[in-house]
């Protein structure tokens, strides 16, 4: 929203969300809305809109399987219906690299989707719904970005949790230190979305992550360089970690949720090895790498490192 405001291209920017914003941007209209419900065309005030569909249930594991479809698929239907009712011709949709499934081999946009989670399957279905909307009118433009792990200010996700563990010297490599974790900084993600949408005359589908496939060891080293954390050196076998989480899974069965389970261990061990082939071929230039982006994120954080 900051980038859209700075562009000067819009006289109104409206954010529809069921959740409370982590920070409010001055000049943006905030509307509380559940995307599982139809979006009132009156929000557009009789004018077509450029739509950015970022809404999703995404934490995985973490929700019943049906919830991913209920929000991500039905949400796509409601967004496309809103676009049709308002005469809006431009949608940018954030899908996910989860549509590919885990792989040690590098995957690009021509690779066969093989999602293994309800989240990945629901995102692939949502892509199909958006593609159907675009196919109804050749004047419509659809940009689908499949982001890898995204990090940056207000993230409160994977990279934030990793930073907290590194700060406490509590991080150990799960099984190995060469797991590839394709990733990208949020500011480069936004730049890529605007760049690819501007070049798109119909349908554009692309992966977003850095061209260099960072390993978990390289990511930890970048955190150490940015914040002075001690580099982790210990590796624990996956079988031992799976054994250690069994008590937490038992707590979950009696209603005490900890978020620690074998599915999360598997996610840490498997690579997400993604190539941004179409983005690079289009001429897009990344402004950051992992080291420079972590330096900036730490500098912008107000309460503690990597807010």
């Amino acid at each position: 929203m900051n980038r859209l405001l700075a562009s000067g291209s819009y006289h109104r920017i409206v954010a529809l969300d069921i959740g409370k914003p982590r920070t409010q941007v001055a000049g943006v209209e905030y509307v509380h809305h559940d995307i599982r419900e139809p979006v009132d065309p009156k929000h557009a005030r009789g004018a077509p809109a450029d739509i950015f569909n970022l809404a999703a249930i995404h934490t995985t594991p973490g929700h019943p399987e049906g919830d991913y479809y209920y929000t991500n698929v039905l949400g796509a239907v409601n967004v496309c219906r809103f676009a049709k009712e308002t005469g809006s011709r431009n949608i940018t949709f954030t899908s996910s690299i989860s549509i590919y499934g885990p792989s040690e081999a590098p995957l690009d946009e021509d690779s066969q989707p093989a999602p293994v989670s309800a989240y990945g399957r629901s995102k692939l279905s949502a892509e199909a719904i958006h593609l159907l909307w675009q196919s109804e009118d050749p004047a419509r433009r659809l940009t689908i970005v499949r982001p890898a792990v995204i990090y940056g200010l207000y993230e409160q996700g994977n990279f934030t949790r990793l930073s907290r563990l590194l700060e406490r010297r509590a991080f150990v490599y799960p099984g190995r230190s060469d797991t590839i974790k394709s990733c990208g900084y949020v500011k480069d993600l936004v730049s890529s979305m605007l760049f690819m949408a501007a070049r798109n005359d119909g349908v554009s589908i692309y992966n977003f992550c850095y061209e260099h496939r960072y390993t978990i060891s390289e990511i930890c080293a970048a955190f150490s360089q940015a914040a002075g954390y001690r580099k982790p050196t210990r590796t624990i076998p996956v079988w031992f970690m799976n054994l250690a989480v069994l008590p937490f899974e038992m707590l979950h069965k009696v209603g005490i949720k900890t978020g620690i389970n074998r599915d999360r261990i598997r996610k840490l061990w498997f690579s997400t090895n993604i190539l941004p082939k179409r983005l690079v071929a289009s001429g897009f230039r990344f402004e950051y790498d992992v080291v420079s982006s972590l330096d900036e994120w730490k500098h912008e954080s107000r309460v503690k490192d990597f807010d």
Side-chain angles (χ1 to χ4, degrees), residues 24-266:
Q24 289 204 356
V25 178
V28 173
E29 301 173 32
Y30 289 89
V31 177
H32 184 271
H33 182 76
D34 186 342
I35 201 60
R36 295 171 294 187
E37 301 294 333
V39 183
D40 191 338
K42 292 180 180 178
H43 289 304
R45 295 184 183 174
D50 289 344
I51 299 170
F52 295 83
N53 181 11
L54 318 175
I57 281 183
H58 63 90
T59 304
T60 179
H63 301 276
E65 284 209 359
D67 286 3
Y68 297 99
Y69 298 100
Y70 187 30
T71 296
N72 301 345
V73 177
L74 183 56
V77 170
N78 287 328
V79 167
C80 290
R81 180 182 292 134
F82 171 81
K84 186 174 183 178
E85 292 174 342
T86 58
S88 300
R89 292 182 171 181
N90 301 317
I91 296 181
T92 299
F93 171 58
T94 49
S95 183
S96 170
I97 62 166
S98 291
I99 65 107
Y100 296 113
S103 174
E104 297 303 317
L107 302 173
D108 60 31
E109 295 88 349
D110 296 321
S111 301
Q112 183 68 29
V116 298
S117 66
Y119 172 62
R121 291 189 290 271
S122 68
K123 278 295 192 179
L124 189 58
S125 298
E127 286 190 12
I129 291 166
H130 285 84
L131 286 165
L132 179 60
W133 165 82
Q134 192 281 332
S135 70
E136 294 173 347
D137 184 343
R140 293 174 180 172
R141 298 191 304 171
L142 172 65
T143 305
I144 296 176
V145 53
R146 296 168 175 168
V149 175
I150 303 302
Y151 61 91
L153 194 64
Y154 308 121
E155 172 221 299
Q156 301 175 15
N158 293 328
F159 270 51
T160 299
R161 286 191 291 270
L162 176 59
S163 75
R164 302 294 182 258
L165 290 170
L166 291 170
E167 185 180 23
R168 301 198 306 270
R169 298 185 180 181
F171 180 79
V172 293
Y173 293 113
R176 56 181 181 150
S177 60
D178 62 348
T179 304
I180 295 172
K181 290 297 180 185
S182 296
C183 58
Y185 189 40
V186 64
K187 291 186 179 181
D188 273 330
L189 170 61
V190 171
S191 294
S192 78
M193 291 163 65
L194 300 177
F195 177 85
M196 294 297 279
R199 294 168 56 89
N200 181 16
D201 291 325
V203 176
S204 175
I205 302 175
Y206 73 98
N207 296 334
F208 175 81
C209 58
Y210 287 122
E211 192 173 11
H212 177 80
R213 274 85 50 82
Y214 287 94
T215 65
I216 186 63
S217 177
E218 290 174 315
I219 293 169
C220 288
F223 270 110
S224 299
Q225 182 174 333
Y229 301 149
R230 184 176 178 178
K231 293 181 182 179
T233 57
R234 292 178 294 167
T235 302
I236 293 183
V238 171
W239 67 263
F240 182 82
M241 297 186 75
N242 283 332
L243 187 65
V245 302
L246 289 178
F248 297 97
E249 292 184 346
M250 294 298 295
L251 289 172
H252 181 77
K253 288 183 178 180
V254 298
I256 302 174
K257 296 182 180 181
T258 64
I260 301 174
N261 53 56
R262 279 170 287 182
D263 286 339
R264 289 198 181 276
I265 298 300
R266 281 192 287 271

